[in-house]
Amino acid sequence: SPTEKPTPQAPSKSTLKSATRTRLLFALFTSFCFLTSLVFLILVEVGNISSKRPIVGSIWFFKLSLANIVPQTVPNAVLINSIARTLGLHDFYQVGLWNYCEGYGEKIENCSKPKTLYWFDPVEIILSELLSGATIALPRDILTALGLVRDASHWMFALFLTAAPLSFLCIFLTPLSIYSRLVSLPIAFLSFLSALTTTAACIIATVLFIIFRNIINSQGADINIKASVGTKMFAFMWVAAAGAIVGWLVQMGMCCCCASRRDVKKGKKVGRRSAYHDGEVPIHDQLQQMQRGGRKRGWLGRKKE
């Protein structure tokens, strides 16, 4: 009767886990990267939505200051600025993802109701708060920029809200790549989408508000309007982007590097050799020994298949 083909001896569960520990550590690190990204995305998305929480109120994209709309060089400037308050103007207006807040001095007095696809229109806001019949002249360049602000704000809003659930999914899916490199491929694609949406949202927000700030500071000098961007908000959103990018790059590397549990079981890779104890031999080595032992010898002692 024909001889039965020998079957390689599978490693124990503890050996299998130990042999693939490197891949597990990378998978957990990837999950942590997306957790970091999600936390900072949440901070970006809840920023500036409430006047009752100082921490939330301190997170904003853009701030428009009208406190000294009449320069101090003008006679009776303090009195005229107080009259501007009487007309309905606040000292500042600051912008978040969902709404804007307004206040006097450094204190937020009121925040608008959060709105989907919100975009900041300073002309509409200022005119709506002035007394009936009052108006304010703004440079043409500022009015022209508002169309760009509207379109860019809609894209930014959609991308930030898409990035958060993608990062949430990646937190729980990336550890599954420990089992197989084939599983890593679709997870890597999902992590790419997370990194893409987060980074694109950050780029749009950065370009949008920096350009808007520069236009207002250059063109608004005539009426002494000042604009600034929120350092805290910008830091939060770029930390979120960095976490998503690093997570995606590590996940891409796991598609071809580090032995998975399926690789070790199938004998494609060994994993950590220090994991094998008590005479255990990796399946990869057992298969190689079987292949060498199964070769026939030809003339002059040479081996042939």
Side-chain angles (χ1 to χ4, degrees), residues 282-295:
I283 294 180
H284 176 270
D285 294 354
Q286 295 181 48
L287 292 176
Q288 286 187 336
Q289 292 173 2
M290 292 176 186
Q291 290 175 356
R292 287 195 296 266
R295 293 175 182 173

Side-chain angles (χ1 to χ4, degrees), residues 3-303:
T3 57
E4 295 182 359
K5 187 177 180 180
T7 303
Q9 185 177 1
S12 62
K13 290 185 178 181
S14 60
T15 300
L16 185 63
K17 291 180 180 180
S18 181
T20 56
R21 183 174 298 169
T22 302
R23 189 176 182 87
L24 175 62
L25 293 176
F26 277 113
L28 293 177
F29 174 73
T30 306
S31 180
F32 174 76
C33 288
F34 284 107
L35 175 61
T36 302
S37 180
L38 178 62
V39 169
F40 283 96
L41 280 173
I42 292 174
L43 289 174
V44 170
E45 294 177 8
V46 302
N48 203 64
I49 63 173
S50 174
S51 60
K52 299 179 181 179
R53 296 177 176 84
I55 296 179
V56 173
S58 66
I59 306 173
W60 41 269
F61 285 112
F62 178 82
K63 190 172 187 177
L64 189 66
S65 177
L66 308 178
N68 298 307
I69 195 168
V70 177
Q72 297 297 321
T73 56
V74 175
N76 300 319
V78 176
L79 175 61
I80 299 174
N81 282 321
S82 65
I83 295 175
R85 285 189 179 186
T86 305
L87 291 175
L89 290 179
H90 287 76
D91 285 352
F92 67 86
Y93 299 85
Q94 61 186 41
V95 185
L97 190 65
W98 298 85
N99 62 345
Y100 75 92
C101 295
E102 58 192 11
Y104 298 108
E106 297 295 331
K107 184 180 180 182
I108 298 175
E109 298 291 337
N110 180 52
C111 291
S112 64
K113 185 178 180 181
K115 180 182 178 182
T116 304
L117 296 177
Y118 172 76
W119 71 283
F120 180 61
D121 185 354
V123 177
E124 179 182 357
I125 294 170
I126 293 174
L127 293 181
S128 66
E129 294 194 343
L130 290 173
L131 291 177
S132 178
T135 184
I136 184 172
L138 292 176
R140 182 179 296 274
D141 287 349
I142 294 179
L143 298 176
T144 304
L146 292 180
L148 173 64
V149 171
R150 181 185 62 249
D151 296 337
S153 295
H154 289 171
W155 276 103
M156 179 187 70
F157 185 95
L159 288 169
F160 270 126
L161 261 67
T162 302
L166 287 174
S167 294
F168 178 79
L169 289 175
C170 288
I171 292 172
F172 299 100
L173 292 180
T174 49
L176 298 179
S177 58
I178 183 67
Y179 296 103
S180 172
R181 283 182 291 157
L182 294 176
V183 175
S184 297
L185 189 59
I187 298 176
F189 178 72
L190 185 66
S191 64
F192 167 73
L193 293 179
S194 176
L196 177 65
T197 52
T198 306
T199 306
C202 293
I203 292 174
I204 292 175
T206 302
V207 173
L208 169 65
F209 291 113
I210 287 181
I211 290 178
F212 200 32
R213 178 200 63 185
N214 294 342
I215 290 175
I216 289 179
N217 285 339
S218 60
Q219 300 297 326
D222 297 335
I223 52 177
N224 210 36
I225 294 178
K226 296 181 180 180
S228 57
V229 295
T231 304
K232 188 179 294 186
M233 177 72 89
F234 275 51
F236 286 170
M237 68 181 187
W238 279 109
V239 169
I245 292 172
V246 172
W248 165 57
L249 292 176
V250 174
Q251 189 63 38
M252 283 292 295
M254 292 176 65
C255 292
C256 58
C257 303
C258 298
S260 68
R261 292 185 181 179
R262 183 177 183 272
D263 290 334
V264 175
K265 288 180 179 179
K266 296 292 184 179
K268 295 180 179 180
K269 290 188 175 184
V270 176
R272 296 172 64 248
R273 287 193 176 273
S274 59
Y276 297 89
H277 301 287
D278 301 328
E280 283 187 317
V281 179
I283 294 180
H284 176 270
D285 294 354
Q286 295 181 48
L287 292 176
Q288 286 187 336
Q289 292 173 2
M290 292 176 186
Q291 290 175 356
R292 287 195 296 266
R295 293 175 182 173
K296 297 180 180 179
R297 291 187 177 273
W299 292 353
L300 302 178
R302 292 182 178 179
K303 292 184 179 180

